[in-house]
Amino acid sequence: DINVRTEGLLLEYNIDFEDFSGAVLADLPDNHKTWSIPEAELKRRRDFRSECVFTIDPLTARDLDDALSVTKEADGNYRVAVHIADVGYFVREGTELDKAAAARTTSTYLVQKVIPMLPRPLCENLCSLNPGEDRLTYTVEWTINEEGGILSEWFGRTVIRSCVKLAYEHAQSMIDEPAKQDWEDGVLPNIDQPYNPDVISAKVNMLQHLAIKIRTKRERNGYLKLNQPKLCFSLNPETGLPDGFKLHEHKHSNRLIEEFMLLAKIGRAHV
């Protein structure tokens, strides 16, 4: 039985998969289902809610922890930002919630389930950059020229409102057909006004253009390239259990996200 074997696997590797205790859950906001950002906190942060921010994740993702925005300026340079969910706002040092997260150290991803590092009200709601919701983030923003050169860099606490939750498949379609218009209903997820598929496609392709330039520079400088084969599984829609597998195809949309997440980590390491 796959559930019994899964439990055995978790026990073998000493992974805590028990429900979070009442003491841990007590550290969540009392009104976490209806929580909104306090006005005083909004005033402390740079506001990106008027900008076109979006996420690109696996199709089945429920915890969206990073988002992107890009604008081409009048001088021909690009303003690109990576927005990371500000989990630290909710997880205070020394609390039972902090201790539980430190003990787990990471979320554990299995084929058919996830063992979360944080309680689901946090990782799937308050700290998930869901479209149409105001969310607290920590942002790195660059000014990047046409050749992928970093002209300036800014770090700070921010607030965003994502306009759409894209899957890698959606972003890849935009990269494959950058001039496509009149997307059929249902092909793309809902996009909040005032944005539309043409705007999102243009921005995805801006990021793709820059990602290629930045990757080329890293290749010239010598970088560690890991191309190990990876399996991916299809899940039965009724049972949620795996019923097939194939070799994972690493596409441009995956590499685009990887490039900017890596750039953010490199920038943070330099600070």
Side-chain angles (χ1 to χ4, degrees):
D1 179 85
I2 192 168
N3 291 317
V4 174
R5 294 209 174 237
T6 297
E7 186 170 334
L9 187 68
L10 294 169
L11 290 168
E12 179 183 356
Y13 287 94
N14 197 31
I15 294 172
D16 182 2
F17 58 96
E18 297 296 327
D19 291 339
F20 287 96
S21 69
V24 170
L25 297 178
D27 287 330
L28 299 178
D30 293 335
N31 60 339
H32 62 78
K33 292 184 179 179
T34 58
W35 183 87
S36 60
I37 302 171
E39 191 63 31
E41 186 63 29
L42 289 176
K43 291 178 180 179
R44 295 177 59 236
R45 294 172 178 259
R46 183 174 165 188
D47 196 337
F48 275 81
R49 289 176 293 177
S50 62
E51 300 205 19
C52 182
V53 178
F54 52 92
T55 60
I56 304 176
D57 285 280
L59 191 61
T60 56
R62 291 188 294 180
D63 50 340
L64 314 178
D65 53 13
D66 54 74
L68 292 160
S69 58
V70 58
T71 303
K72 190 167 186 179
E73 304 286 76
D75 60 5
N77 294 323
Y78 298 84
R79 189 162 49 85
V80 180
V82 168
H83 312 275
I84 305 296
D86 189 358
V87 182
Y89 177 85
F90 298 96
V91 184
R92 301 299 183 180
E93 186 176 3
T95 60
E96 292 303 311
L97 177 59
D98 179 38
K99 294 173 185 176
R104 295 195 178 200
T105 70
T106 183
S107 295
T108 302
Y109 292 85
L110 303 171
V111 171
Q112 83 285 14
K113 66 188 299 183
V114 177
I115 313 300
M117 183 178 74
L118 297 166
R120 294 190 185 277
L122 278 186
C123 59
E124 295 180 8
N125 183 21
L126 297 179
C127 295
S128 185
L129 309 181
N130 301 324
E133 301 285 347
D134 292 353
R135 288 292 181 259
L136 300 176
T137 47
Y138 196 88
T139 295
V140 52
E141 183 186 61
W142 305 276
T143 301
I144 304 178
N145 64 24
E146 188 69 29
E147 298 306 314
I150 308 298
L151 305 181
S152 67
E153 191 172 60
W154 177 87
F155 291 88
R157 286 184 167 82
T158 52
V159 56
I160 67 165
R161 183 186 296 133
S162 170
C163 68
V164 63
K165 173 189 173 184
L166 293 181
Y168 288 119
E169 292 85 347
H170 302 134
Q172 189 60 47
S173 295
M174 293 173 176
I175 293 169
D176 291 340
E177 300 181 85
K180 182 174 180 177
Q181 297 181 341
D182 301 324
W183 294 84
E184 297 177 12
D185 290 342
V187 173
L188 297 176
N190 291 331
I191 300 171
D192 290 348
Q193 294 293 331
Y195 309 110
N196 58 48
D198 292 344
V199 172
I200 303 300
S201 179
K203 290 184 178 292
V204 167
N205 279 282
M206 286 182 201
L207 292 170
Q208 169 66 0
H209 167 74
L210 293 173
I212 291 173
K213 297 287 187 181
I214 295 168
R215 188 181 307 117
T216 300
K217 287 176 178 288
R218 288 200 302 112
E219 288 175 347
R220 284 203 302 262
N221 291 334
Y223 75 151
L224 180 63
K225 192 172 185 179
L226 301 175
N227 277 337
Q228 295 173 320
K230 177 183 175 183
L231 287 178
C232 60
F233 295 82
S234 59
L235 303 183
N236 186 295
E238 294 182 2
T239 66
L241 298 178
D243 58 10
F245 66 92
K246 62 181 179 179
L247 196 64
H248 173 69
E249 186 178 359
H250 205 60
K251 295 188 175 182
H252 290 299
S253 55
N254 302 91
R255 299 178 72 189
L256 181 160
I257 295 297
E258 289 176 358
E259 203 62 47
F260 285 104
M261 294 305 114
L262 179 58
L263 191 63
K265 291 175 181 177
I266 291 171
R268 189 67 188 91
H270 287 160
V271 174

